[in-house]
Structure formats: structure tokens, C-alpha cells
């Protein structure tokens, strides 16, 4: 297959895969939060793909919603195919960069969310444990803020919305700042415990909340920076082109499937690992702690989604090396050779065989 045909195929496949992952998460929200029927019920009613028929047939608006969920999956794929065909001169590297920026935006916004929620929820928890909540907010609001569902809907979710707005305008990922905040929060626990003999459950909850976010949100960023630990017994002896083949197969056979396993096992049903805590606004059993445990289950969703998008970006970047696209080279490679691009322009490339 020549490059003129291979490039659009790779672009459509990669962008469609990222689209399906995003729609899968959105579709999960529609099913379990808004009561949409889901594709399994619609396919079961239609007798497609061996799905079990629903106990009660979908009718009226629920049947329409089921078909809309099919459109949600197929529509973006069709649109992507059309756009790829209309932008045949666009490089694979450009699409890789777009996906990488999308993963960065998701992570950046999630960082701001845990920062704001951590600060606000810890203040509310402090006022609650010290009996000051009623004096500040009144008896009824203080009672409501003592319920995890209320705090999640009217405090956490608005802050998440604001965070995605901040994440759009703020380009810094902020991992160093989050690490500094974790150290500061831990230091505060040490000082208050050993100097003032004061410690509350919410203080430890804040450290765990931020530490879990730092560990999971940084993974996609670390991937693009080649910061993950490799067992470089064989890989280091490869040429850049051999490394690109290794990265392509590793992404397809290991990286993306692992992300799908996390998403499908966590979001496959109402009682699954990610859905159950989110739907129940699950909290810890440590008395007057922070009401953020359910959000920590959502960290797995952010981790899997951002890693999958970054893996797809990584796949495209390495595929560009293999098809010898001008400007493509292995990330952080020290090996440089000249590749003569069509039309006579010289482009810098990783060493090829």
C-alpha cells in the first residue's frame, strides 16, 4: 500500500478510535445519569450481534434515544472520514499533535478540578468538624453540605465545569505545583499533629486525593516525554526505525487494549468499579472527612481516557516515521539523518534501515 493511500487510512483509523473512546464515556453518562437505553438494549430489540432482547421493548422516546446513541458513534466517524479526504495534504504528525493537545487539555483541566475541589472541600470539612458550618452558611445549607450527593452536585460539579474553562486558557499542566501542594499538605499534618496536637480525617483525605491525582494524571504527559520506565534490554539496540515499529506494535497490542479494559470494566454497568462510586457519591468511613472518595474512582476514567488518546497520538507519531513523512523523528532521539522529501526539500529524520 503506497503512502498516498496509507496516510488517510491511518488518520481515519486513529481519529475514529479517539472519537469512539470519547463517545463511549459520554454514552456511559447518558445511560446511567440521564436514563438513556444504551446500545445493548437497542441491539437486543433489533436482534443484532447476539445481544439479549430487553424485557420490555423500547418504544417512543426511548427508542429514538437508542437510535441517537448509534448516531453519536457513527456521526463523528463519518465526519472524520470526510474531513480526512478533504485535507489529504495534512500530515499524520499534525493529527498526532492535535490528539496530544487534547490529552493535555483533559489532564490540565482535571488538575485544576482536583486543586479547586481539594481546597474548597477541605475548608467545608474543617468548618463542619469544628461546628462552624451553621454559623457561616446557616442551618439548612450546613445540613445539605453534610450530604455527599448535595456537595457533589452543587459544589464539586460546578468546580469541575469551571476547571475545564480554566484548563482551556491555562497552558501549564501544573504537576510540579501539585507535588508541592502535596508536600505542603503533608507538612501541615506533621506540624499540627506534633506541635498543636491537632489532626482531623479531612487532612489525610486531602493528601490522598491530591497524590492519587498526581500519580494518575501525569501518566499521559510522561508518555509523550518518554519518562516511563523501560526494560531496555533489546529496545536500546534498535535503530530509530526499529524503535518506531516496536512502539507501533506495543501501542496496538498492549497500550490501547489496557485502556479499553479499564474503561469497559469500570463503566460497563451501574455496579462497576468506576460507575458505582460516582453514582452513589461514595465517601470514606472516617467520620468528618472530605467527600471526595467517589471522585477518586473517576481518576481511573481520566487516566484511561487520556492515556488512550495519548497512545493513539504516539501511534501516529511513530507511524509517520515508518512511512517517512517529512519532519518525523523519534521523540528525544539523538540519531539524525537527512531524508529527501518529495520536491527536493530535505527533512530531518531518525535513522532508518
Amino acid at each position: 500500500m503506497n503512502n498516498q493511500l496509507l496516510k488517510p487510512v491511518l488518520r481515519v483509523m486513529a481519529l475514529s478510535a479517539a472519537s469512539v473512546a470519547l463517545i463511549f464515556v459520554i454514552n456511559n453518562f447518558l445511560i446511567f445519569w440521564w436514563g438513556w437505553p444504551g446500545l445493548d438494549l437497542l441491539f437486543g430489540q433489533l436482534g443484532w450481534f447476539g445481544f439479549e432482547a430487553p424485557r420490555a421493548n423500547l418504544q417512543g422516546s426511548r427508542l429514538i434515544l437508542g437510535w441517537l446513541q448509534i448516531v453519536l458513534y457513527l456521526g463523528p466517524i463519518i465526519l472524520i472520514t470526510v474531513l480526512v479526504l478533504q485535507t489529504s495534504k495534512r500530515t499524520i504528525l499534525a493529527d498526532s499533535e492535535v490528539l496530544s493537545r487534547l490529552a493535555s487539555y483533559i489532564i490540565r483541566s482535571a488538575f485544576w478540578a482536583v486543586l479547586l475541589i481539594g481546597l474548597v472541600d477541605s475548608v467545608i470539612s474543617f468548618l463542619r468538624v469544628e461546628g462552624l458550618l451553621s454559623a457561616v452558611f446557616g442551618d439548612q445549607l450546613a445540613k445539605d453540605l453534610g450530604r455527599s450527593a448535595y456537595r457533589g452536585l452543587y459544589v464539586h460539579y460546578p468546580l469541575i465545569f469551571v476547571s475545564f474553562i480554566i484548563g482551556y486558557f491555562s497552558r501549564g499542566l501544573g504537576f510540579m505545583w501539585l507535588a508541592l501542594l502535596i508536600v505542603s499538605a503533608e507538612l501541615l499534618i506533621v506540624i499540627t499533629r506534633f506541635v498543636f496536637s491537632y489532626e482531623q480525617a479531612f487532612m489525610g483525605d486531602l493528601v490522598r486525593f491530591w497524590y492519587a491525582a498526581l500519580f494518575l494524571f501525569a501518566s499521559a504527559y510522561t508518555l509523550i516525554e518518554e519518562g516511563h520506565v523501560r526494560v531496555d534490554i533489546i529496545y536500546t539496540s534498535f535503530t530509530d526505525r526499529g524503535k518506531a515499529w516496536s512502539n507501533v506494535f506495543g501501542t496496538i497490542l498492549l497500550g490501547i487494549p489496557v485502556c479499553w479494559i479499564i474503561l469497559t470494566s469500570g463503566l460497563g454497568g451501574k455496579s462497576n468499579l468506576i460507575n458505582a462510586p460516582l453514582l452513589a457519591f461514595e465517601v470514606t468511613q472516617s467520620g468528618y472527612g472530605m467527600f471526595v472518595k467517589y471522585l477518586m474512582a473517576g481518576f481511573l476514567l481520566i487516566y484511561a481516557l487520556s492515556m488512550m488518546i495519548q497512545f493513539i497520538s504516539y501511534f501516529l507519531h511513530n507511524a509517520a516515521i515508518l512511512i517517512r513523512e517529512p519532519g518525523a523523528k523519534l521523540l528525544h532521539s539523538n540519531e539524525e539523518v537527512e531524508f529527501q522529501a518529495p520536491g527536493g526539500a530535505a527533512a530531518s529524520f531518525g535513522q532508518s534501515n
Side-chain angles (χ1 to χ4, degrees), residues 105-106 108-114 116-117 151-167 209 278 281 294-295 298-299 302:
Y105 169 66
I106 293 173
R108 193 164 58 240
S109 301
F111 160 74
W112 281 106
V114 298
L116 296 178
I117 291 172
R151 201 184 295 190
L153 287 173
Y154 297 104
V155 179
H156 297 166
Y157 285 177
L159 289 175
I160 292 173
F161 178 77
V162 171
S163 298
F164 273 83
I165 297 176
I166 296 174
F209 183 61
L278 290 175
F281 293 95
Y294 75 99
L295 289 174
F299 290 176
I302 298 297

Short mmCIF file of all heavy atoms in Angstrom, two decimals, residues 105-106 108-114 116-117 151-167 209 278 281 294-295 298-299 302:
data_model
loop_
_atom_site.label_atom_id
_atom_site.label_comp_id
_atom_site.label_asym_id
_atom_site.label_seq_id
_atom_site.Cartn_x
_atom_site.Cartn_y
_atom_site.Cartn_z
N TYR A 105 -5.18 18.79 27.41
CA TYR A 105 -6.30 19.61 27.89
C TYR A 105 -7.12 18.87 28.95
O TYR A 105 -7.50 19.45 29.98
CB TYR A 105 -7.19 20.01 26.72
CG TYR A 105 -8.50 20.63 27.14
CD1 TYR A 105 -8.53 21.86 27.79
CD2 TYR A 105 -9.70 19.97 26.92
CE1 TYR A 105 -9.73 22.43 28.19
CE2 TYR A 105 -10.90 20.52 27.32
CZ TYR A 105 -10.92 21.75 27.95
OH TYR A 105 -12.11 22.30 28.36
N ILE A 106 -7.38 17.60 28.69
CA ILE A 106 -8.14 16.80 29.67
C ILE A 106 -7.39 16.72 31.00
O ILE A 106 -7.97 16.91 32.07
CB ILE A 106 -8.41 15.39 29.10
CG1 ILE A 106 -9.35 15.47 27.90
CG2 ILE A 106 -9.01 14.48 30.18
CD1 ILE A 106 -9.52 14.14 27.17
N ARG A 108 -4.95 18.72 32.08
CA ARG A 108 -4.81 20.06 32.65
C ARG A 108 -6.08 20.47 33.39
O ARG A 108 -6.03 20.99 34.51
CB ARG A 108 -4.50 21.03 31.52
CG ARG A 108 -4.02 22.40 31.95
CD ARG A 108 -3.39 23.12 30.78
NE ARG A 108 -4.30 23.27 29.67
CZ ARG A 108 -4.09 22.77 28.46
NH1 ARG A 108 -3.01 22.05 28.22
NH2 ARG A 108 -4.95 22.96 27.48
N SER A 109 -7.22 20.21 32.77
CA SER A 109 -8.50 20.56 33.39
C SER A 109 -8.75 19.71 34.63
O SER A 109 -9.27 20.21 35.64
CB SER A 109 -9.63 20.37 32.37
OG SER A 109 -9.44 21.16 31.22
N ALA A 110 -8.38 18.43 34.56
CA ALA A 110 -8.55 17.56 35.72
C ALA A 110 -7.65 18.02 36.87
O ALA A 110 -8.04 17.95 38.04
CB ALA A 110 -8.22 16.12 35.34
N PHE A 111 -6.45 18.51 36.55
CA PHE A 111 -5.57 19.04 37.58
C PHE A 111 -6.23 20.22 38.29
O PHE A 111 -6.24 20.30 39.53
CB PHE A 111 -4.24 19.48 36.98
CG PHE A 111 -3.48 20.44 37.86
CD1 PHE A 111 -2.84 20.00 39.00
CD2 PHE A 111 -3.42 21.79 37.54
CE1 PHE A 111 -2.15 20.88 39.81
CE2 PHE A 111 -2.74 22.68 38.36
CZ PHE A 111 -2.10 22.23 39.49
N TRP A 112 -6.77 21.15 37.53
CA TRP A 112 -7.43 22.30 38.14
C TRP A 112 -8.63 21.87 38.97
O TRP A 112 -8.92 22.45 40.02
CB TRP A 112 -7.85 23.30 37.06
CG TRP A 112 -6.72 24.14 36.58
CD1 TRP A 112 -6.06 24.05 35.38
CD2 TRP A 112 -6.08 25.20 37.29
NE1 TRP A 112 -5.06 24.98 35.31
CE2 TRP A 112 -5.05 25.70 36.47
CE3 TRP A 112 -6.28 25.77 38.55
CZ2 TRP A 112 -4.23 26.75 36.86
CZ3 TRP A 112 -5.46 26.83 38.94
CH2 TRP A 112 -4.45 27.30 38.10
N ALA A 113 -9.33 20.84 38.51
CA ALA A 113 -10.50 20.35 39.25
C ALA A 113 -10.10 19.83 40.63
O ALA A 113 -10.72 20.18 41.64
CB ALA A 113 -11.22 19.26 38.45
N VAL A 114 -9.07 18.99 40.68
CA VAL A 114 -8.68 18.44 41.98
C VAL A 114 -8.07 19.51 42.88
O VAL A 114 -8.20 19.45 44.11
CB VAL A 114 -7.71 17.24 41.82
CG1 VAL A 114 -8.37 16.11 41.07
CG2 VAL A 114 -6.41 17.65 41.16
N LEU A 116 -8.98 22.83 42.93
CA LEU A 116 -10.08 23.64 43.47
C LEU A 116 -10.95 22.85 44.42
O LEU A 116 -11.32 23.33 45.49
CB LEU A 116 -10.91 24.20 42.31
CG LEU A 116 -10.18 25.18 41.36
CD1 LEU A 116 -11.11 25.61 40.24
CD2 LEU A 116 -9.65 26.39 42.12
N ILE A 117 -11.31 21.62 44.02
CA ILE A 117 -12.17 20.79 44.87
C ILE A 117 -11.46 20.46 46.18
O ILE A 117 -12.07 20.49 47.25
CB ILE A 117 -12.59 19.51 44.13
CG1 ILE A 117 -13.55 19.84 42.99
CG2 ILE A 117 -13.24 18.51 45.10
CD1 ILE A 117 -13.88 18.67 42.10
N ARG A 151 -23.20 17.97 48.16
CA ARG A 151 -21.89 18.61 47.96
C ARG A 151 -21.33 18.28 46.59
O ARG A 151 -20.69 19.13 45.95
CB ARG A 151 -20.92 18.17 49.06
CG ARG A 151 -19.76 19.15 49.23
CD ARG A 151 -18.74 18.67 50.25
NE ARG A 151 -19.25 18.58 51.61
CZ ARG A 151 -18.48 18.37 52.67
NH1 ARG A 151 -17.17 18.24 52.51
NH2 ARG A 151 -19.01 18.28 53.87
N GLY A 152 -21.57 17.05 46.12
CA GLY A 152 -21.08 16.69 44.80
C GLY A 152 -21.77 17.47 43.69
O GLY A 152 -21.12 18.02 42.79
N LEU A 153 -23.12 17.57 43.76
CA LEU A 153 -23.88 18.22 42.71
C LEU A 153 -23.71 19.73 42.69
O LEU A 153 -23.62 20.34 41.62
CB LEU A 153 -25.37 17.88 42.86
CG LEU A 153 -25.79 16.45 42.48
CD1 LEU A 153 -27.24 16.21 42.85
CD2 LEU A 153 -25.57 16.20 41.00
N TYR A 154 -23.64 20.34 43.86
CA TYR A 154 -23.69 21.80 43.92
C TYR A 154 -22.36 22.46 44.29
O TYR A 154 -22.26 23.68 44.28
CB TYR A 154 -24.77 22.24 44.92
CG TYR A 154 -26.16 21.81 44.48
CD1 TYR A 154 -26.79 20.72 45.08
CD2 TYR A 154 -26.81 22.46 43.44
CE1 TYR A 154 -28.05 20.31 44.67
CE2 TYR A 154 -28.07 22.06 43.02
CZ TYR A 154 -28.68 20.98 43.64
OH TYR A 154 -29.93 20.58 43.21
N VAL A 155 -21.36 21.67 44.61
CA VAL A 155 -20.03 22.21 44.89
C VAL A 155 -19.00 21.62 43.93
O VAL A 155 -18.31 22.36 43.21
CB VAL A 155 -19.60 21.95 46.35
CG1 VAL A 155 -18.20 22.50 46.59
CG2 VAL A 155 -20.58 22.60 47.32
N HIS A 156 -18.88 20.30 43.90
CA HIS A 156 -17.84 19.66 43.10
C HIS A 156 -18.08 19.82 41.61
O HIS A 156 -17.16 20.21 40.87
CB HIS A 156 -17.74 18.18 43.46
CG HIS A 156 -17.35 17.94 44.89
ND1 HIS A 156 -17.48 16.70 45.49
CD2 HIS A 156 -16.84 18.75 45.83
CE1 HIS A 156 -17.07 16.78 46.74
NE2 HIS A 156 -16.68 18.01 46.97
N TYR A 157 -19.27 19.50 41.13
CA TYR A 157 -19.53 19.54 39.69
C TYR A 157 -19.38 20.95 39.11
O TYR A 157 -18.79 21.11 38.03
CB TYR A 157 -20.90 18.96 39.37
CG TYR A 157 -20.96 17.45 39.47
CD1 TYR A 157 -22.16 16.76 39.27
CD2 TYR A 157 -19.83 16.70 39.76
CE1 TYR A 157 -22.22 15.37 39.35
CE2 TYR A 157 -19.87 15.32 39.85
CZ TYR A 157 -21.06 14.66 39.64
OH TYR A 157 -21.11 13.30 39.73
N PRO A 158 -19.91 22.00 39.78
CA PRO A 158 -19.63 23.35 39.26
C PRO A 158 -18.15 23.68 39.20
O PRO A 158 -17.68 24.34 38.26
CB PRO A 158 -20.38 24.26 40.24
CG PRO A 158 -21.48 23.41 40.78
CD PRO A 158 -20.90 22.04 40.87
N LEU A 159 -17.38 23.22 40.19
CA LEU A 159 -15.95 23.47 40.18
C LEU A 159 -15.27 22.71 39.04
O LEU A 159 -14.30 23.21 38.44
CB LEU A 159 -15.33 23.06 41.51
CG LEU A 159 -15.66 23.96 42.71
CD1 LEU A 159 -15.08 23.37 44.00
CD2 LEU A 159 -15.14 25.37 42.50
N ILE A 160 -15.76 21.52 38.73
CA ILE A 160 -15.22 20.77 37.59
C ILE A 160 -15.49 21.53 36.29
O ILE A 160 -14.61 21.63 35.41
CB ILE A 160 -15.83 19.36 37.53
CG1 ILE A 160 -15.34 18.52 38.71
CG2 ILE A 160 -15.48 18.66 36.21
CD1 ILE A 160 -16.01 17.17 38.83
N PHE A 161 -16.69 22.08 36.15
CA PHE A 161 -17.03 22.86 34.96
C PHE A 161 -16.11 24.07 34.83
O PHE A 161 -15.59 24.36 33.75
CB PHE A 161 -18.50 23.30 35.05
CG PHE A 161 -18.94 24.16 33.90
CD1 PHE A 161 -19.22 23.61 32.66
CD2 PHE A 161 -19.07 25.53 34.06
CE1 PHE A 161 -19.62 24.41 31.60
CE2 PHE A 161 -19.47 26.34 33.01
CZ PHE A 161 -19.74 25.78 31.77
N VAL A 162 -15.91 24.78 35.93
CA VAL A 162 -15.01 25.94 35.92
C VAL A 162 -13.59 25.51 35.57
O VAL A 162 -12.87 26.21 34.85
CB VAL A 162 -15.05 26.64 37.29
CG1 VAL A 162 -13.96 27.70 37.39
CG2 VAL A 162 -16.42 27.27 37.54
N SER A 163 -13.18 24.35 36.06
CA SER A 163 -11.83 23.86 35.81
C SER A 163 -11.58 23.61 34.33
O SER A 163 -10.47 23.86 33.83
CB SER A 163 -11.58 22.58 36.62
OG SER A 163 -11.68 22.83 38.00
N PHE A 164 -12.59 23.10 33.62
CA PHE A 164 -12.41 22.86 32.19
C PHE A 164 -12.33 24.18 31.42
O PHE A 164 -11.72 24.23 30.35
CB PHE A 164 -13.53 21.97 31.66
CG PHE A 164 -13.23 20.50 31.79
CD1 PHE A 164 -13.47 19.84 32.98
CD2 PHE A 164 -12.69 19.80 30.74
CE1 PHE A 164 -13.18 18.49 33.11
CE2 PHE A 164 -12.38 18.45 30.85
CZ PHE A 164 -12.62 17.79 32.04
N ILE A 165 -12.95 25.22 31.95
CA ILE A 165 -12.79 26.54 31.33
C ILE A 165 -11.38 27.07 31.60
O ILE A 165 -10.71 27.58 30.69
CB ILE A 165 -13.85 27.52 31.88
CG1 ILE A 165 -15.25 27.05 31.50
CG2 ILE A 165 -13.60 28.93 31.35
CD1 ILE A 165 -16.37 27.89 32.08
N ILE A 166 -10.92 26.96 32.85
CA ILE A 166 -9.57 27.40 33.18
C ILE A 166 -8.54 26.60 32.38
O ILE A 166 -7.56 27.15 31.87
CB ILE A 166 -9.31 27.24 34.69
CG1 ILE A 166 -10.24 28.14 35.50
CG2 ILE A 166 -7.86 27.56 35.03
CD1 ILE A 166 -10.14 27.94 36.99
N GLY A 167 -8.77 25.28 32.26
CA GLY A 167 -7.84 24.43 31.53
C GLY A 167 -7.69 24.82 30.07
O GLY A 167 -6.64 24.59 29.47
N PHE A 209 -6.10 12.44 48.14
CA PHE A 209 -6.83 12.94 46.97
C PHE A 209 -5.86 13.55 45.96
O PHE A 209 -5.91 13.23 44.77
CB PHE A 209 -7.85 13.99 47.45
CG PHE A 209 -8.73 14.55 46.38
CD1 PHE A 209 -9.59 13.74 45.64
CD2 PHE A 209 -8.72 15.91 46.11
CE1 PHE A 209 -10.42 14.27 44.66
CE2 PHE A 209 -9.54 16.45 45.13
CZ PHE A 209 -10.39 15.63 44.40
N LEU A 278 -19.25 6.73 41.66
CA LEU A 278 -19.69 8.00 41.11
C LEU A 278 -21.20 8.18 41.26
O LEU A 278 -21.68 9.27 41.59
CB LEU A 278 -19.29 8.11 39.64
CG LEU A 278 -17.79 8.27 39.35
CD1 LEU A 278 -17.54 8.24 37.85
CD2 LEU A 278 -17.26 9.57 39.94
N PHE A 281 -22.04 8.74 45.01
CA PHE A 281 -21.28 9.79 45.70
C PHE A 281 -20.62 9.20 46.96
O PHE A 281 -20.74 9.72 48.06
CB PHE A 281 -22.18 10.97 46.08
CG PHE A 281 -22.71 11.73 44.89
CD1 PHE A 281 -23.96 11.43 44.37
CD2 PHE A 281 -21.96 12.72 44.29
CE1 PHE A 281 -24.45 12.12 43.27
CE2 PHE A 281 -22.44 13.42 43.20
CZ PHE A 281 -23.70 13.12 42.68
N TYR A 294 -15.56 9.35 45.87
CA TYR A 294 -16.18 8.96 44.60
C TYR A 294 -15.42 9.56 43.42
O TYR A 294 -15.34 8.95 42.34
CB TYR A 294 -17.65 9.38 44.58
CG TYR A 294 -17.89 10.85 44.38
CD1 TYR A 294 -18.23 11.36 43.13
CD2 TYR A 294 -17.80 11.75 45.44
CE1 TYR A 294 -18.45 12.71 42.94
CE2 TYR A 294 -18.03 13.09 45.26
CZ TYR A 294 -18.35 13.58 44.01
OH TYR A 294 -18.58 14.92 43.82
N LEU A 295 -14.86 10.76 43.61
CA LEU A 295 -14.10 11.39 42.53
C LEU A 295 -12.80 10.64 42.26
O LEU A 295 -12.32 10.61 41.12
CB LEU A 295 -13.78 12.83 42.89
CG LEU A 295 -14.97 13.80 42.88
CD1 LEU A 295 -14.54 15.17 43.41
CD2 LEU A 295 -15.58 13.92 41.50
N GLY A 298 -13.27 8.26 39.71
CA GLY A 298 -13.26 8.92 38.40
C GLY A 298 -11.86 9.18 37.88
O GLY A 298 -11.68 9.36 36.67
N PHE A 299 -10.85 9.21 38.78
CA PHE A 299 -9.47 9.38 38.32
C PHE A 299 -9.08 8.27 37.34
O PHE A 299 -8.31 8.50 36.41
CB PHE A 299 -8.51 9.36 39.51
CG PHE A 299 -8.60 10.57 40.40
CD1 PHE A 299 -7.82 10.63 41.56
CD2 PHE A 299 -9.44 11.63 40.11
CE1 PHE A 299 -7.89 11.74 42.38
CE2 PHE A 299 -9.52 12.73 40.94
CZ PHE A 299 -8.74 12.78 42.09
N ILE A 302 -10.26 9.26 33.92
CA ILE A 302 -9.38 10.26 33.31
C ILE A 302 -8.07 9.62 32.87
O ILE A 302 -7.55 9.90 31.79
CB ILE A 302 -9.11 11.40 34.30
CG1 ILE A 302 -10.42 12.12 34.67
CG2 ILE A 302 -8.10 12.39 33.73
CD1 ILE A 302 -11.09 12.79 33.51
#
